[in-house]
Amino acid sequence: MQKHIYDLRAQIDETEWRAKSRRNLVIDCWKKFGHKSENFTMLDVGCGSGWLQKDFETKFDCKTFGIDTSPQAVKHSKANGLKHNTFYSGKKIPFKDNSFDLVCSIDVLEHVKDDLYLLNEINRVMKRKSVFIGIVPARNELLSTRDKRLMHFRRYEKEHLQTIVSNSGLQKLSCRYIDFLLYFPLKLSCLLAKKAQDLPDIKLETGETNVIFNRLLYTWEKIENRISTNISLPLGVSLLIVAKK
């Protein structure tokens, strides 16, 4: 991603409605699918400013590690008090085989040209019976210039995501759409936007809002997340997948 995006995320990730909602989803998935041991190790692939790790360290007795291809992101996460975060070259993950009980990859796979290679590496560093939790942007019909600016190689169809996760050797436990409500304004924006680079030209790059809208959107996301745990939503702008080794 562009440099200013990392700086922006470091400023807003703690309180921004979508970032908080994603962290809550990951924690709920761990509670549902993870093992019961309190003393576990967690790796955040694409750690950014490190707020997912901080939430895990606050809520659980665990040790977290983070890697990111951006030295700037690693710097922000270390400033956030995370000592075990390091730069990742994009090739071999710098940890031994069978190291982690939980590996997370939140809005990362779409930035990687060879996503199957990264999933294979994630599998390698996971312990037996450990859990992988990933979130990616969904539906090719929503691909726009915004994705290109954020350096996304793709958006994912549900079947494609499940296939590459399976091809990495991981066993899918759950795969569902999230961010249902956001699908409709984004789809409408794509239909109405002028074309640039053969794609709908959408300017928005972040979900940053004022305080009131931030609270309203966060409240809606909490409601939607509860609904989606019991009902499979037919659409969404993102996909959440949980798998085990």
Side-chain angles (χ1 to χ4, degrees):
M1 291 191 296
Q2 298 172 0
K3 180 180 178 182
H4 75 279
I5 297 294
Y6 287 107
D7 291 334
L8 175 63
R9 296 311 321 176
Q11 294 171 23
I12 69 174
D13 271 350
E14 180 181 6
T15 58
E16 190 236 5
W17 60 276
R18 202 168 184 220
K20 286 176 64 178
S21 173
R22 272 159 156 61
R23 297 199 298 272
N24 291 342
L25 270 175
V26 173
I27 288 169
D28 288 345
C29 286
W30 173 250
K31 289 178 178 178
K32 181 176 181 178
F33 295 105
H35 56 65
K36 302 303 180 184
S37 171
E38 285 296 312
N39 185 17
F40 63 89
T41 54
M42 175 260 209
L43 173 66
D44 189 4
V45 177
C47 61
S49 55
W51 277 103
L52 179 62
Q53 293 170 257
K54 286 185 73 70
D55 279 6
F56 264 87
E57 290 180 354
T58 299
K59 294 178 182 295
F60 304 100
D61 179 17
C62 65
K63 188 174 183 179
T64 72
F65 297 78
I67 58 173
D68 204 293
T69 56
S70 166
Q72 190 177 1
V74 174
K75 181 180 178 180
H76 284 309
S77 68
K78 285 183 176 292
N80 213 1
L82 296 158
K83 300 177 181 179
H84 304 294
N85 288 16
T86 187
F87 173 74
Y88 171 47
S89 69
K91 297 181 180 179
K92 186 174 181 178
I93 291 177
F95 293 100
K96 296 179 180 179
D97 297 1
N98 308 309
S99 293
F100 298 100
D101 301 289
L102 168 65
V103 178
C104 300
S105 173
I106 311 305
D107 293 314
V108 170
L109 289 175
E110 67 273 14
H111 293 277
V112 180
K113 188 172 184 179
D114 190 347
D115 50 1
L116 180 56
Y117 174 85
L118 179 56
L119 284 167
N120 284 331
E121 276 295 289
I122 287 171
N123 187 339
R124 179 183 63 78
V125 300
M126 290 171 63
K127 295 178 182 177
R128 183 172 174 271
K129 296 185 178 180
S130 60
V131 172
F132 167 71
I133 303 172
I135 297 177
V136 296
R139 303 189 72 89
N140 290 325
E141 68 191 272
L142 301 178
L143 192 69
S144 71
T145 57
R146 176 182 181 274
D147 292 283
K148 295 300 182 182
R149 286 195 307 278
L150 294 175
M151 299 182 182
H152 295 175
F153 282 98
R154 67 193 74 81
R155 301 182 74 92
Y156 286 84
E157 300 298 336
K158 191 173 184 180
E159 295 77 10
H160 175 212
L161 179 61
Q162 292 177 121
T163 296
I164 62 165
V165 167
S166 176
N167 288 345
S168 75
L170 297 174
Q171 179 184 347
K172 183 203 78 174
L173 298 175
S174 174
C175 185
R176 69 179 194 262
Y177 286 110
I178 58 174
D179 296 330
F180 172 77
L181 188 66
L182 295 177
Y183 170 82
F184 301 99
L186 186 54
K187 177 64 175 178
L188 182 62
S189 297
C190 287
L191 290 173
L192 297 178
K194 294 181 180 179
K195 291 290 183 72
Q197 307 169 30
D198 295 322
L199 292 170
D201 189 17
I202 296 179
K203 303 295 185 183
L204 183 67
E205 291 185 354
T206 175
E208 187 179 16
T209 63
N210 64 42
V211 173
I212 295 174
F213 275 104
N214 195 66
R215 288 177 180 172
L216 289 172
L217 289 167
Y218 180 60
T219 299
W220 169 256
E221 286 283 295
K222 288 197 295 184
I223 294 170
E224 186 180 299
N225 291 344
R226 288 179 190 148
I227 293 171
S228 69
T229 59
N230 300 307
I231 300 172
S232 180
L233 299 175
L235 294 168
V237 302
S238 300
L239 282 162
L240 168 70
I241 191 162
V242 184
K244 71 175 182 180
K245 183 170 180 177

